[in-house]
Structure formats: structure tokens, C-alpha cells
């Protein structure tokens, strides 16, 4: 399968990329194997190579949506995104351009591969064979990042409510302060991005702006928004231990849950969770409309990835060999 390819020259990491792409390590439980997994490797006839699914962002598209779309287009398989795996940056052959590719782990939900104009073959590789099948060192680096943690994690999506204007300009009770027009646009943009992670159940703090942030997602899913007072700044501050216990109880191995909260609660909660489970937390500003993607193995938090308010990766370390 694997052809001979000239190793790429690695650019100065300070050089800003001008082409953005996204992809996945697409995996499934190995048929007939207890606990084994397999990774999808695709063949692109145009390049005569074997690689991970990936592709360029469409105008206005977030990396999350591009990773989901490109994976589905190239493989015919519908993915559910999980933890963020890092980025690679490299020069584009024949052009004075740099490309950045962000990658997520992604489990196959359904679908069936069929050859298409970009990909003519797909093979499922066990972890002990996948490295030899991939054509490029950078793909192997991403797979190494994937194997550092368990594949089969479950996800909680922790959302800060969208923009709701300034508190001092709203005449009514602060709990009833609604989203402004920019916030409503943010709430709509959240829908496909949260669905890419398999969002199913929705919990919200009491303030109207929190409920309105996840209302479009609830409408798309056909579910009710469940109000949880302990997700709000007032309830959380009144009894942090009780709030943390309740929020931790919402982690599910079977359901992907969205929790909409506020600007004082989220940073403290995420810091506490990371400290409790012995995980190093990357710095990030939890701005309105941003999302923490929390990944769990059993009851333990193993990854916390932040998507900023543009739904791009806020903390995006380069993957090293």
C-alpha cells in the first residue's frame, strides 16, 4: 500500500499558515475483537498515497465542521468527533503557501464506504499496523497523539452563553436579559458544530440568555432544554461542592450532553475538574459563545479542548514526533 514519498521539509513554526484544513483519525471497534480498535486509512489516486481523511475549510466554515464534512465526503462514513489531537503545519508543494491541518479523533456512527473522485480505497488498520500503511510522517505523528489516550472516550460540551449586551443597559432583572442579535447568530452557529460532536441532551442555567443560547440546538434535536440552577453563577457560588457533584453526575457514557453556563462558573469548574483528575489544563479565555469539549474515560477527565467564540481551536499545540 505505502508508496515512497520524499519527507517534507518542516517550516519555521512562526510562519503563519494561509491555507487551513481539518481532518480526523477515524476509528471503529474492531469486528470480533474485545476492546480492539481499527483506524481508517484512505488512498487518494491523485497523489498515489495513503493518508488520514482531511480537506480544506470552505469559506466561513469552522475547523470542526470541515473535519466532519471532509471525513464524511471522503469516506461515506458519518463521524462523531471527540477529543482534539493537535495540528500540523507544512509547506504546500509547488506554492509559496503554508497549510495548517487540525485533527480530531472521530468514531464511526454509520454509513458505508464507496469509491469517489477523491478516494478510491479505504482500509481499516489495527494499531500495530497503521503506522506502516501511512505515507506521511505527519499523519503518523497525529496517530501517536491519538494513541496516548483511550480511543473510546465520552464527551460533555460546556458552552458559555452567547452575547447578551451590557448588563448596565438592560432595565429589567438580569436573569431575564436576552441575547442580542450577535448572540442569536452565535447560537445558530453553535448548532452544527455541537452536532458534529454528537450532541443529544441539553441542560441550561436559569438565565434567559443561557436558555436562548441552546434553544436552536434543542429545536433541531426536538428535545427540551432541562433547567439546572446549579449551572448558573448564583447557584454555583452558593454551594460549589454541591454544584460540582451535580454537574459531574451529568457525565454519561451513553449520551453526549450540552451544558450551558456562565462566565464565572465555567473557568472555576474546568480548573477544579482538571485538578481533581490530575490533568494539565491549557490556558484559554472562556468568551461568550465559546465551548469546552470535555473528554472522559470512565469518570475521569482526560482532555479539555477549547473552541473560541469563532469555533476555531483556541489552544492548538503543534504535534511533535
Amino acid at each position: 500500500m505505502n508508496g515512497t514519498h520524499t519527507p517534507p521539509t518542516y517550516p519555521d513554526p512562526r510562519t503563519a499558515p494561509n491555507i487551513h484544513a481539518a481532518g480526523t483519525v477515524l476509528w471503529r471497534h474492531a469486528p470480533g475483537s474485545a476492546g480492539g480498535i481499527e483506524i481508517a486509512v484512505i488512498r487518494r489516486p491523485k497523489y498515489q498515497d495513503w493518508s488520514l481523511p482531511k480537506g480544506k475549510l470552505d469559506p466561513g466554515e469552522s475547523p470542526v465542521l470541515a473535519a466532519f464534512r471532509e471525513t464524511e465526503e471522503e469516506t461515506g462514513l458519518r463521524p462523531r468527533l471527540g477529543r482534539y489531537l493537535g495540528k500540523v503545519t507544512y509547506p504546500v508543494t509547488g506554492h509559496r503557501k503554508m497549510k495548517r491541518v487540525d485533527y480530531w479523533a472521530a468514531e464511526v456512527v454509520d454509513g458505508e464506504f464507496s469509491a469517489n473522485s477523491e478516494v478510491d480505497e479505504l482500509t481499516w488498520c489495527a494499531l500495530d499496523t497503521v503506522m506502516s500503511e501511512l505515507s506521511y510522517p505527519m499523519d503518523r505523528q497525529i496517530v501517536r497523539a491519538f494513541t496516548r489516550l483511550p480511543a473510546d472516550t465520552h464527551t460533555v460540551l460546556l458552552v458559555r452563553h452567547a452575547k447578551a449586551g451590557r448588563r448596565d443597559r438592560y432595565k429589567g432583572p438580569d436573569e431575564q436579559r436576552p441575547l442580542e442579535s450577535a448572540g442569536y447568530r452565535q447560537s445558530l452557529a453553535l448548532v452544527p458544530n455541537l452536532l458534529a460532536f454528537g450532541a443529544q441532551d441539553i441542560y441550561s442555567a436559569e438565565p434567559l440568555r443561557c436558555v436562548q443560547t441552546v434553544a436552536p440546538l434543542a429545536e433541531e434535536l426536538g428535545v427540551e432544554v432541562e433547567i439546572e440552577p446549579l449551572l448558573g453563577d448564583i447557584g454555583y457560588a452558593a454551594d460549589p461542592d454541591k454544584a460540582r457533584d451535580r454537574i459531574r453526575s451529568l457525565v454519561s457514557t451513553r449520551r453526549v450532553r450540552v451544558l450551558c453556563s456562565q462566565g464565572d462558573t465555567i473557568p472555576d469548574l474546568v480548573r477544579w475538574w482538571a485538578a481533581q483528575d490530575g490533568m494539565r489544563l491549557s490556558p484559554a479565555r472562556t468568551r461568550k459563545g465559546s465551548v469546552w469539549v470535555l473528554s472522559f474515560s470512565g469518570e475521569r477527565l482526560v482532555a479539555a479542548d477549547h473552541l473560541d467564540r469563532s469555533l476555531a481551536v483556541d489552544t492548538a499545540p503543534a504535534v511533535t514526533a
Side-chain angles (χ1 to χ4, degrees):
M1 285 168 45
N2 188 3
T4 301
H5 295 268
T6 302
T9 56
Y10 290 90
D12 185 334
R14 296 168 294 182
T15 304
N18 46 22
I19 298 176
H20 293 266
T24 64
V25 172
L26 185 66
W27 68 275
R28 70 178 184 182
H29 292 282
S33 171
I37 69 163
E38 296 176 329
I39 293 175
V41 179
I42 58 173
R43 181 182 183 275
R44 302 182 299 173
K46 179 178 179 180
Y47 301 103
Q48 296 290 302
D49 63 7
W50 290 87
S51 67
L52 301 173
K54 68 176 183 297
K56 290 189 291 186
L57 275 62
D58 285 341
E61 189 175 42
S62 72
V64 166
L65 289 183
F68 182 94
R69 176 184 54 78
E70 286 287 343
T71 299
E72 190 170 38
E73 287 179 357
E74 290 189 338
T75 69
L77 303 169
R78 185 160 66 91
R80 178 174 59 233
L81 302 191
R83 61 189 174 90
Y84 179 68
L85 299 176
K87 66 175 181 179
V88 295
T89 306
Y90 56 91
V92 180
T93 304
H95 299 275
R96 298 184 65 182
K97 294 182 178 181
M98 300 292 296
K99 179 183 281 189
R100 164 177 164 160
V101 189
D102 290 286
Y103 285 93
W104 279 264
E107 184 179 5
V108 172
V109 175
D110 58 33
E112 185 176 349
F113 174 74
S114 60
N116 55 73
S117 60
E118 294 184 82
V119 177
D120 63 354
E121 291 185 54
L122 181 150
T123 187
W124 289 100
C125 299
L127 289 180
D128 59 355
T129 63
V130 65
M131 295 299 190
S132 63
E133 304 298 349
L134 289 165
S135 298
Y136 302 110
M138 287 180 289
D139 282 356
R140 292 193 283 272
Q141 291 172 22
I142 291 295
V143 172
R144 289 189 191 100
F146 172 78
T147 59
R148 288 183 190 126
L149 291 173
D152 197 1
T153 58
H154 40 283
T155 303
V156 169
L157 301 164
L158 184 58
V159 179
R160 185 181 178 188
H161 70 76
K163 294 181 179 180
R166 289 177 51 176
R167 182 180 307 181
D168 58 3
R169 293 181 179 176
Y170 182 67
K171 304 302 181 183
D174 188 58
E175 294 288 288
Q176 293 300 311
R177 179 157 48 98
L179 296 183
E180 61 185 15
S181 57
Y184 178 65
R185 291 193 295 272
Q186 284 182 312
S187 74
L188 294 178
L190 281 168
V191 173
N193 285 275
L194 297 178
L195 289 176
F197 290 95
Q200 294 169 295
D201 303 328
I202 306 174
Y203 294 79
S204 174
E206 291 180 294
L208 178 61
R209 54 194 178 275
C210 293
V211 178
Q212 288 182 332
T213 296
V214 289
L217 176 63
E219 183 177 359
E220 178 70 21
L221 289 171
V223 302
E224 296 293 325
V225 177
E226 297 193 42
I227 303 302
E228 177 47 73
L230 293 173
L231 275 169
D233 285 350
I234 294 174
Y236 185 90
D239 194 339
D241 289 339
K242 181 180 179 181
R244 291 165 181 165
D245 286 345
R246 170 58 180 152
I247 295 167
R248 191 184 268 277
S249 77
L250 295 175
V251 178
S252 171
T253 59
R254 296 180 305 233
R255 308 285 295 178
V256 177
R257 289 179 168 159
V258 177
L259 314 181
C260 189
S261 185
Q262 296 179 265
D264 291 338
T265 296
I266 293 175
D268 184 79
L269 175 65
V270 175
R271 283 194 298 267
W272 168 82
W273 222 328
Q276 285 290 111
D277 291 348
M279 198 203 76
R280 182 180 176 185
L281 190 68
S282 298
R285 295 182 64 185
T286 305
R287 296 182 175 181
K288 293 173 183 176
S290 65
V291 181
W292 279 98
V293 181
L294 306 180
S295 299
F296 296 84
S297 178
E299 296 183 353
R300 180 172 173 259
L301 179 68
V302 295
D305 309 313
H306 190 253
L307 305 178
D308 68 19
R309 59 189 176 186
S310 69
L311 299 171
V313 181
D314 194 16
T315 307
V319 174
T320 58

mmCIF file of all heavy atoms in Angstrom, residues 61-83:
data_model
loop_
_atom_site.group_PDB
_atom_site.id
_atom_site.type_symbol
_atom_site.label_atom_id
_atom_site.label_comp_id
_atom_site.label_asym_id
_atom_site.label_seq_id
_atom_site.Cartn_x
_atom_site.Cartn_y
_atom_site.Cartn_z
ATOM 1 N N GLU A 61 -16.310 28.418 7.121
ATOM 2 C CA GLU A 61 -16.506 27.158 7.821
ATOM 3 C C GLU A 61 -15.530 27.040 8.987
ATOM 4 O O GLU A 61 -14.372 27.446 8.899
ATOM 5 C CB GLU A 61 -16.283 26.010 6.845
ATOM 6 C CG GLU A 61 -16.647 24.634 7.366
ATOM 7 C CD GLU A 61 -16.509 23.571 6.282
ATOM 8 O OE1 GLU A 61 -15.515 23.623 5.521
ATOM 9 O OE2 GLU A 61 -17.395 22.698 6.188
ATOM 10 N N SER A 62 -15.976 26.475 10.100
ATOM 11 C CA SER A 62 -15.094 26.239 11.231
ATOM 12 C C SER A 62 -14.275 24.975 10.988
ATOM 13 O O SER A 62 -14.674 24.102 10.210
ATOM 14 C CB SER A 62 -15.908 26.079 12.522
ATOM 15 O OG SER A 62 -16.591 24.833 12.527
ATOM 16 N N PRO A 63 -13.126 24.844 11.657
ATOM 17 C CA PRO A 63 -12.360 23.600 11.528
ATOM 18 C C PRO A 63 -13.159 22.369 11.944
ATOM 19 O O PRO A 63 -13.005 21.296 11.340
ATOM 20 C CB PRO A 63 -11.157 23.834 12.454
ATOM 21 C CG PRO A 63 -10.998 25.314 12.487
ATOM 22 C CD PRO A 63 -12.387 25.868 12.431
ATOM 23 N N VAL A 64 -13.990 22.488 12.971
ATOM 24 C CA VAL A 64 -14.819 21.362 13.413
ATOM 25 C C VAL A 64 -15.711 20.880 12.278
ATOM 26 O O VAL A 64 -15.781 19.681 11.977
ATOM 27 C CB VAL A 64 -15.669 21.769 14.631
ATOM 28 C CG1 VAL A 64 -16.781 20.749 14.894
ATOM 29 C CG2 VAL A 64 -14.796 21.901 15.869
ATOM 30 N N LEU A 65 -16.413 21.813 11.638
ATOM 31 C CA LEU A 65 -17.325 21.429 10.556
ATOM 32 C C LEU A 65 -16.569 20.885 9.353
ATOM 33 O O LEU A 65 -17.043 19.966 8.681
ATOM 34 C CB LEU A 65 -18.175 22.624 10.149
ATOM 35 C CG LEU A 65 -19.240 23.063 11.152
ATOM 36 C CD1 LEU A 65 -20.055 24.209 10.596
ATOM 37 C CD2 LEU A 65 -20.146 21.901 11.535
ATOM 38 N N ALA A 66 -15.392 21.444 9.079
ATOM 39 C CA ALA A 66 -14.604 20.943 7.948
ATOM 40 C C ALA A 66 -14.132 19.513 8.219
ATOM 41 O O ALA A 66 -14.159 18.663 7.322
ATOM 42 C CB ALA A 66 -13.411 21.854 7.688
ATOM 43 N N ALA A 67 -13.685 19.236 9.442
ATOM 44 C CA ALA A 67 -13.248 17.882 9.780
ATOM 45 C C ALA A 67 -14.399 16.894 9.612
ATOM 46 O O ALA A 67 -14.220 15.803 9.050
ATOM 47 C CB ALA A 67 -12.724 17.844 11.212
ATOM 48 N N PHE A 68 -15.581 17.272 10.079
ATOM 49 C CA PHE A 68 -16.756 16.408 9.953
ATOM 50 C C PHE A 68 -17.128 16.209 8.482
ATOM 51 O O PHE A 68 -17.309 15.083 8.022
ATOM 52 C CB PHE A 68 -17.921 17.040 10.712
ATOM 53 C CG PHE A 68 -19.185 16.228 10.692
ATOM 54 C CD1 PHE A 68 -19.473 15.353 11.722
ATOM 55 C CD2 PHE A 68 -20.087 16.330 9.645
ATOM 56 C CE1 PHE A 68 -20.638 14.593 11.713
ATOM 57 C CE2 PHE A 68 -21.239 15.571 9.614
ATOM 58 C CZ PHE A 68 -21.514 14.703 10.652
ATOM 59 N N ARG A 69 -17.224 17.306 7.738
ATOM 60 C CA ARG A 69 -17.673 17.251 6.339
ATOM 61 C C ARG A 69 -16.687 16.476 5.473
ATOM 62 O O ARG A 69 -17.089 15.603 4.681
ATOM 63 C CB ARG A 69 -17.858 18.668 5.795
ATOM 64 C CG ARG A 69 -18.221 18.712 4.314
ATOM 65 C CD ARG A 69 -18.295 20.134 3.788
ATOM 66 N NE ARG A 69 -17.081 20.899 4.045
ATOM 67 C CZ ARG A 69 -15.956 20.784 3.344
ATOM 68 N NH1 ARG A 69 -15.869 19.922 2.338
ATOM 69 N NH2 ARG A 69 -14.898 21.535 3.649
ATOM 70 N N GLU A 70 -15.408 16.804 5.584
ATOM 71 C CA GLU A 70 -14.414 16.155 4.738
ATOM 72 C C GLU A 70 -14.328 14.657 5.021
ATOM 73 O O GLU A 70 -14.171 13.852 4.092
ATOM 74 C CB GLU A 70 -13.042 16.813 4.931
ATOM 75 C CG GLU A 70 -12.910 18.181 4.289
ATOM 76 C CD GLU A 70 -12.810 18.107 2.770
ATOM 77 O OE1 GLU A 70 -12.524 17.015 2.242
ATOM 78 O OE2 GLU A 70 -13.005 19.143 2.116
ATOM 79 N N THR A 71 -14.436 14.293 6.281
ATOM 80 C CA THR A 71 -14.407 12.866 6.619
ATOM 81 C C THR A 71 -15.582 12.139 5.985
ATOM 82 O O THR A 71 -15.429 11.059 5.392
ATOM 83 C CB THR A 71 -14.413 12.682 8.148
ATOM 84 O OG1 THR A 71 -13.246 13.305 8.697
ATOM 85 C CG2 THR A 71 -14.435 11.211 8.524
ATOM 86 N N GLU A 72 -16.762 12.730 6.094
ATOM 87 C CA GLU A 72 -17.947 12.095 5.514
ATOM 88 C C GLU A 72 -17.875 12.057 3.994
ATOM 89 O O GLU A 72 -18.228 11.037 3.376
ATOM 90 C CB GLU A 72 -19.203 12.836 5.975
ATOM 91 C CG GLU A 72 -20.495 12.125 5.630
ATOM 92 C CD GLU A 72 -21.686 12.753 6.307
ATOM 93 O OE1 GLU A 72 -21.733 14.002 6.414
ATOM 94 O OE2 GLU A 72 -22.586 11.998 6.727
ATOM 95 N N GLU A 73 -17.395 13.141 3.371
ATOM 96 C CA GLU A 73 -17.309 13.172 1.913
ATOM 97 C C GLU A 73 -16.288 12.163 1.387
ATOM 98 O O GLU A 73 -16.528 11.493 0.376
ATOM 99 C CB GLU A 73 -16.926 14.579 1.450
ATOM 100 C CG GLU A 73 -18.050 15.603 1.589
ATOM 101 C CD GLU A 73 -17.635 16.995 1.156
ATOM 102 O OE1 GLU A 73 -16.442 17.198 0.795
ATOM 103 O OE2 GLU A 73 -18.495 17.896 1.188
ATOM 104 N N GLU A 74 -15.153 12.051 2.052
ATOM 105 C CA GLU A 74 -14.088 11.187 1.537
ATOM 106 C C GLU A 74 -14.335 9.710 1.829
ATOM 107 O O GLU A 74 -13.877 8.847 1.076
ATOM 108 C CB GLU A 74 -12.739 11.609 2.122
ATOM 109 C CG GLU A 74 -12.253 12.951 1.591
ATOM 110 C CD GLU A 74 -10.831 13.264 1.986
ATOM 111 O OE1 GLU A 74 -10.340 12.688 2.988
ATOM 112 O OE2 GLU A 74 -10.202 14.080 1.307
ATOM 113 N N THR A 75 -15.044 9.413 2.913
ATOM 114 C CA THR A 75 -15.194 8.012 3.310
ATOM 115 C C THR A 75 -16.616 7.472 3.180
ATOM 116 O O THR A 75 -16.818 6.254 3.205
ATOM 117 C CB THR A 75 -14.757 7.814 4.777
ATOM 118 O OG1 THR A 75 -15.705 8.459 5.647
ATOM 119 C CG2 THR A 75 -13.366 8.381 5.016
ATOM 120 N N GLY A 76 -17.624 8.350 3.086
ATOM 121 C CA GLY A 76 -19.013 7.901 3.110
ATOM 122 C C GLY A 76 -19.490 7.515 4.493
ATOM 123 O O GLY A 76 -20.629 7.064 4.666
ATOM 124 N N LEU A 77 -18.647 7.694 5.512
ATOM 125 C CA LEU A 77 -18.957 7.316 6.883
ATOM 126 C C LEU A 77 -19.224 8.563 7.722
ATOM 127 O O LEU A 77 -18.497 9.556 7.614
ATOM 128 C CB LEU A 77 -17.796 6.528 7.488
ATOM 129 C CG LEU A 77 -17.384 5.267 6.711
ATOM 130 C CD1 LEU A 77 -16.067 4.727 7.235
ATOM 131 C CD2 LEU A 77 -18.473 4.212 6.800
ATOM 132 N N ARG A 78 -20.261 8.501 8.544
ATOM 133 C CA ARG A 78 -20.599 9.656 9.379
ATOM 134 C C ARG A 78 -19.841 9.555 10.698
ATOM 135 O O ARG A 78 -19.991 8.577 11.425
ATOM 136 C CB ARG A 78 -22.097 9.731 9.629
ATOM 137 C CG ARG A 78 -22.517 10.990 10.403
ATOM 138 C CD ARG A 78 -23.991 11.273 10.222
ATOM 139 N NE ARG A 78 -24.806 10.238 10.825
ATOM 140 C CZ ARG A 78 -25.251 10.282 12.085
ATOM 141 N NH1 ARG A 78 -24.937 11.303 12.865
ATOM 142 N NH2 ARG A 78 -26.013 9.316 12.555
ATOM 143 N N PRO A 79 -19.039 10.579 11.006
ATOM 144 C CA PRO A 79 -18.233 10.520 12.221
ATOM 145 C C PRO A 79 -18.919 11.223 13.397
ATOM 146 O O PRO A 79 -19.817 12.050 13.216
ATOM 147 C CB PRO A 79 -16.973 11.286 11.828
ATOM 148 C CG PRO A 79 -17.504 12.357 10.900
ATOM 149 C CD PRO A 79 -18.653 11.713 10.150
ATOM 150 N N ARG A 80 -18.477 10.896 14.584
ATOM 151 C CA ARG A 80 -18.799 11.683 15.781
ATOM 152 C C ARG A 80 -17.471 12.135 16.363
ATOM 153 O O ARG A 80 -16.661 11.312 16.802
ATOM 154 C CB ARG A 80 -19.591 10.864 16.797
ATOM 155 C CG ARG A 80 -19.896 11.646 18.087
ATOM 156 C CD ARG A 80 -20.809 10.877 19.023
ATOM 157 N NE ARG A 80 -20.222 9.604 19.406
ATOM 158 C CZ ARG A 80 -20.843 8.441 19.269
ATOM 159 N NH1 ARG A 80 -22.049 8.370 18.730
ATOM 160 N NH2 ARG A 80 -20.247 7.321 19.648
ATOM 161 N N LEU A 81 -17.228 13.453 16.346
ATOM 162 C CA LEU A 81 -15.942 13.961 16.800
ATOM 163 C C LEU A 81 -15.796 13.803 18.305
ATOM 164 O O LEU A 81 -16.773 13.841 19.055
ATOM 165 C CB LEU A 81 -15.783 15.435 16.424
ATOM 166 C CG LEU A 81 -15.896 15.810 14.941
ATOM 167 C CD1 LEU A 81 -15.441 17.243 14.733
ATOM 168 C CD2 LEU A 81 -15.119 14.862 14.046
ATOM 169 N N GLY A 82 -14.539 13.656 18.729
ATOM 170 C CA GLY A 82 -14.210 13.560 20.141
ATOM 171 C C GLY A 82 -13.134 14.554 20.504
ATOM 172 O O GLY A 82 -13.243 15.739 20.218
ATOM 173 N N ARG A 83 -12.047 14.061 21.089
ATOM 174 C CA ARG A 83 -11.014 14.982 21.566
ATOM 175 C C ARG A 83 -10.147 15.501 20.413
ATOM 176 O O ARG A 83 -9.987 14.861 19.372
ATOM 177 C CB ARG A 83 -10.149 14.305 22.628
ATOM 178 C CG ARG A 83 -9.417 13.085 22.158
ATOM 179 C CD ARG A 83 -8.752 12.360 23.334
ATOM 180 N NE ARG A 83 -8.174 11.101 22.883
ATOM 181 C CZ ARG A 83 -6.936 10.969 22.444
ATOM 182 N NH1 ARG A 83 -6.134 12.017 22.388
ATOM 183 N NH2 ARG A 83 -6.485 9.782 22.054
#
